[in-house]
Amino acid sequence: MASSKIALEPLTKAAFRSFGDVIERDPLGCYETNDGEALRHHDLARIDVTAAGGRVAVSIFQVMIAATLPFPLRLMERHPISSQAFVPLGPSEFVVVVAPRARQPSPENLRAFLASAGQGINLHAGVWHHPLIALTSCDFLVLDRTLTGDPRDQDYEEIRLETERISIVRRRTRHPADCLEP
């Protein structure tokens, strides 16, 4: 069984654009509301769940066991006709592993992003992703699609990653002493 590692990238709007939206405060898209007592950071993601008669399901994922790095990937999933958003309800770092829309994900096309405190994500329809990898125990607000309210009534596909051992690791940062000559 082959083994490979994927280094984490910072989660930025530009780097994540082809997979979905980064949900975070936007100083260019905000305005005062509630008699000046709040700032509204407006229209941060396109939640797309109405295909085939779907409606928004608002759920909370309660992370019971925080992940540690390196983290072995075990499966990829996607929602072919709807988006799915994850927003931490407290300060939390989490990892987002994605692959482009395709018939199935390819290990060489996997990318891993580190979401920092204050960031959430909205995955576009059809984007392959690993289930939530939270690095701290935290609750996440999840917005996705349902037809009847039954949690099993989702547009959902899953593929197990059994042919390779793939793990997520933090990028090694160079320490200034690494550059000193002996």
Side-chain angles (χ1 to χ4, degrees), residues 32-33 36 89 93 101 105 109 127 144 148 154 160 170 177 182:
E32 284 187 13
T33 188
L89 295 176
E93 281 189 324
R101 295 176 185 124
N109 290 334
V127 169
D144 57 7
T148 64
Q154 298 295 320
R160 299 215 61 68
R170 289 193 190 262

Side-chain angles (χ1 to χ4, degrees), residues 58-114:
V58 178
S59 307
I60 293 178
F61 280 24
Q62 183 179 0
V63 176
M64 304 297 286
I65 300 172
T68 57
L69 298 176
F71 182 86
L73 300 181
R74 59 187 188 279
L75 62 93
M76 297 294 283
E77 63 181 57
R78 72 176 175 173
H79 308 275
I81 64 172
S82 67
S83 64
Q84 185 178 43
F86 292 87
V87 180
L89 295 176
S92 178
E93 281 189 324
F94 65 102
V95 174
V96 183
V97 178
V98 291
R101 295 176 185 124
R103 190 173 59 78
Q104 65 182 32
S106 171
E108 50 277 349
N109 290 334
L110 295 177
R111 290 182 66 188
F113 296 93
L114 179 62

Side-chain angles (χ1 to χ4, degrees), residues 13 22-33 38-45 118:
K13 288 181 179 191
V22 176
I23 301 171
E24 62 187 346
R25 292 179 180 171
D26 181 1
L28 299 177
C30 75
Y31 56 90
E32 284 187 13
T33 188
L39 286 177
R40 179 179 177 137
H41 296 266
H42 186 66
D43 200 19
L44 300 175

